Amino acid sequence: QVRLVESGGGLVQAGGSLRLSCAASGSIFRFENMAWYRQHPGTQREWVATAAPGGTTNYAESVRGRFTISRDIDKNMVYLQMNNLKPEDTAVYYCKSPSIDIWGRGTQVTVSS
């Protein structure tokens, strides 16, 4: 069964850190770009970061320098290390391949001021 399961969210104070994990079942993800997206309450999902299988990464301007995306190809895992969190980072975070229309349930990140 092909699916994505995000974990690692929680409640943290501004300036704190969290590490999100995404377990991707199914070999189809191994050779695809993987990305993190987030959805603030009442808004559309927005792209946060992408990691290519070869290691190239890209970030949204709002998180560049604070967030780091990484992946373990052998374990089929994708990670998002989030440092210096801000209240505006509060959202549900999802991982997804941009080229495969499968979403997980996401993981809630709440940053208090």
Side-chain angles (χ1 to χ4, degrees):
Q1 184 178 1
V2 178
R3 65 175 187 164
L4 298 161
V5 180
E6 302 92 345
S7 62
L11 173 63
V12 64
Q13 288 188 330
S17 299
L18 283 174
R19 188 192 193 210
L20 305 184
S21 298
C22 172
S25 63
S27 60
I28 62 173
F29 295 108
R30 289 176 176 259
F31 307 106
E32 302 289 339
N33 289 351
M34 291 298 294
W36 285 94
Y37 298 81
R38 66 186 181 185
Q39 187 169 20
H40 302 285
T43 68
Q44 292 186 333
R45 286 172 185 162
E46 64 177 19
W47 169 73
V48 174
T50 300
T56 302
T57 57
N58 286 290
Y59 298 91
E61 185 62 34
S62 58
V63 306
R64 188 174 295 124
R66 300 187 298 121
F67 290 11
T68 302
I69 187 173
S70 61
R71 57 192 299 181
D72 185 327
I73 299 293
D74 291 337
K75 294 182 179 179
N76 235 1
M77 296 290 294
V78 187
Y79 305 100
L80 186 67
Q81 177 66 44
M82 306 186 295
N83 297 329
N84 190 21
L85 283 160
K86 303 176 180 180
E88 53 263 42
D89 295 318
T90 294
V92 179
Y93 285 73
Y94 302 86
C95 73
K96 180 185 180 294
S97 170
S99 58
I100 300 172
D101 190 21
I102 295 174
W103 291 92
R105 293 187 174 184
T107 185
Q108 175 71 48
V109 171
T110 303
V111 184
S112 63
S113 58

